[in-house]
Amino acid sequence: LDAMATLLLHGPSSLPVAKRAESLSRRLASLCTRTRSGYSFGDNPEHSRNVDNTTGEVKEFEDLLGALGGKVLLSVTPVKHDDGCHHRKPQLGEQLLQTHMVRILAESNEDVY
């Protein structure tokens, strides 16, 4: 794989993007190996839902596959924040301010864009 990109997603409005990236990651991996599907994403039950089984996402994924020029791998990793205060408990709402790192590896530069 010759092309790579790293995205940092941050803030409460980035959580749906991270969920969709996680769903896409599982779908792309399922082309290469057997995978488990339909698990909740994140620690907050309010934002957890099965992101794999909507008809719109299936159609969108099939369209994406048709447009790819080669193999693409994608990973999503939650990034824990360290403010230096290990004894302090998170305040209400802080758990929503999450950061995720998305890495994309592809055979073609066009597939990264």
Side-chain angles (χ1 to χ4, degrees), residues 8-93:
L8 288 176
L9 308 174
H10 179 71
S13 62
S14 71
L15 193 56
V17 178
K19 287 181 187 179
R20 288 181 56 88
E22 180 68 24
S23 176
L24 180 58
S25 174
R26 282 193 305 276
R27 290 179 185 275
L28 289 170
S30 72
L31 299 174
C32 303
T33 188
R34 190 172 63 176
T35 61
R36 296 179 184 169
S37 63
Y39 66 88
S40 296
F41 181 84
D43 297 327
N44 187 342
E46 177 183 321
H47 295 291
S48 296
R49 72 176 178 97
N50 184 338
V51 294
D52 285 328
N53 295 325
T54 64
T55 305
E57 284 190 12
V58 170
K59 171 78 169 101
E60 191 175 331
F61 179 69
E62 289 171 356
D63 292 345
L64 175 67
L65 281 181
L68 292 177
K71 186 175 183 178
V72 175
L73 298 175
L74 187 140
S75 70
V76 180
T77 307
V79 177
K80 298 207 182 234
H81 294 271
D82 182 4
D83 62 3
C85 297
H86 299 290
H87 62 277
R88 185 177 68 86
K89 292 187 178 185
Q91 299 296 317
L92 182 63

